[in-house]
């Protein structure tokens, strides 16, 4: 039996995402594991502090659509079927925790910029995922 059966790789939509994704795919192959690809769209209201009385639902829908399209493109490239591509809305760290628990994931893969000093204190998504995760966490160093 493999050590890992279900791996969730969480990606942002930057040009760094393939580095994280490729590692997760390699590990998935080695373990013969299912690989879920996830992106969390942050609620646009957060960016404005919720103060401005504007209907942001259209913008939110566009972000959601763009995320689904990007995941579909990666899915095609890396052979991840549509049912294993997940887009949710919320705070990345807590959404990733929820997804891992919900879907019975045993390894979550995220990217890490290897921040130190004040940047580390300010926090990173990798740190946030590590703290409170109920499954193993792999932080892929981004070059
Ligand atoms: P950061 O700390 O924001 O630079 O992000 C580091 C890593 O966290 C990324 O390489 C992704 O693996 C993950 N991550 C960051 N933002 C998101 C997001 N919105 N959805 C999914 N994963 C994310």
């Amino acid at each position: 039996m493999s050590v890992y059966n279900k791996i969730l790789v969480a990606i942002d939509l930057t040009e760094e995402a393939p580095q994280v994704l490729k590692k997760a795919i390699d590990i998935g192959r080695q373990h013969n594991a299912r690989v879920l690809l996830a992106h969390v769209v942050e609620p646009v209201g957060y960016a404005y502090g919720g103060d401005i009385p504007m209907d942001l639902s259209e913008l939110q829908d566009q972000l959601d659509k763009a995320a689904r399209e990007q995941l579909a493109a990666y899915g095609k490239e890396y052979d991840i079927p549509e049912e294993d591509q997940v887009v949710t809305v919320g705070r990345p760290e807590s959404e990733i925790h929820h997804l891992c628990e919900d879907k019975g994931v045993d390894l979550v893969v995220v990217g890490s910029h290897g921040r130190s000093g004040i940047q580390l204190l300010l926090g990173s998504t990798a740190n946030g995922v590590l703290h409170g995760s109920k499954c193993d966490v792999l932080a892929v160093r981004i070059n």
Side-chain angles (χ1 to χ4, degrees):
M1 210 182 110
S2 303
V3 176
Y4 297 119
N5 295 303
K6 207 186 263 186
I7 297 171
L8 182 137
V9 53
I11 56 163
D12 53 23
L13 300 180
T14 69
E15 69 285 358
E16 294 170 348
Q19 288 184 52
V20 183
L21 184 48
K22 278 181 195 152
K23 269 280 166 67
I25 296 284
D26 281 353
I27 295 166
R29 289 201 179 119
Q30 284 162 18
H31 289 265
N32 204 15
R34 185 166 167 190
V35 177
L36 309 179
L37 175 60
H39 176 72
V40 183
V41 180
E42 294 186 60
V44 273
Y46 282 13
Y48 298 98
D51 290 344
I52 303 172
M54 271 166 71
D55 182 8
L56 298 170
S57 55
E58 204 171 306
L59 179 56
Q60 190 74 59
D61 288 348
Q62 282 172 12
L63 290 175
D64 192 83
K65 185 166 173 269
R68 285 175 200 283
E69 285 171 1
Q70 183 63 68
L71 258 55
Y74 282 135
K76 202 166 172 203
E77 189 175 347
Y78 293 94
D79 210 14
I80 300 172
E82 199 180 336
E83 67 265 27
D84 291 342
Q85 300 164 17
V86 191
V87 174
T88 60
V89 180
R91 228 169 46 88
E93 294 87 338
S94 47
E95 279 303 310
I96 292 167
H97 286 154
H98 282 141
L99 282 175
C100 289
E101 284 172 45
D102 249 34
K103 298 191 178 288
V105 165
D106 36 35
L107 175 69
V108 58
V109 180
V110 288
S112 164
H113 292 97
R115 295 182 179 98
S116 58
I118 188 76
Q119 279 187 303
L120 180 63
L121 285 177
L122 289 175
S124 68
T125 309
N127 254 329
V129 171
L130 179 62
H131 294 285
S133 174
K134 299 216 168 103
C135 69
D136 289 0
V137 178
L138 173 67
V140 175
R141 183 67 174 255
I142 291 169
N143 299 305

